[in-house]
Amino acid sequence: MTDIAQKERDFYAQRHHAHLAEKTAKQQCRYLVGKPEVLLGIVGLGAYKGMSDAKPKVKSNRKTALITIGRTALLSLFKL
């Protein structure tokens, strides 16, 4: 019985540590994406792609890209 109880404690401790590691990883990803240089890089990459795109519906693509960037920024504000 003591062996079973020890295994249960080990299992719950391991599950707790895994939960903490997952929570920390998610938090660090939020901090990374929320940095101004990362956001500027994403916007710059999107602007470059929008300018270098040779498709006929470039204005539609730019509008979609700007809406997506705005929505992402707005949602990231509410998540923090």
Side-chain angles (χ1 to χ4, degrees):
M1 289 303 262
T2 58
D3 189 40
I4 293 173
Q6 180 63 35
K7 299 262 187 220
E8 282 183 352
R9 282 194 297 274
D10 291 343
F11 170 74
Y12 289 124
Q14 184 178 12
R15 191 170 72 169
H16 176 70
H17 290 303
H19 177 70
L20 287 178
E22 180 184 4
K23 186 177 176 181
T24 304
K26 286 181 181 179
Q27 187 177 23
Q28 288 175 348
C29 287
R30 282 191 202 123
Y31 288 152
L32 175 67
V33 173
K35 288 183 178 179
E37 55 269 15
V38 174
L39 291 176
L40 282 173
I42 292 170
V43 170
L45 183 65
Y48 173 75
K49 186 176 184 234
M51 288 188 324
S52 65
D53 196 4
K55 293 182 181 176
K57 48 182 188 166
V58 172
K59 285 188 177 182
S60 173
N61 290 344
R62 285 184 190 151
K63 182 179 176 184
T64 304
L66 289 175
I67 288 173
T68 303
I69 289 169
R71 184 177 58 219
T72 303
L74 186 64
L75 289 176
S76 69
L77 286 175
F78 288 121
K79 286 185 179 179
L80 293 176

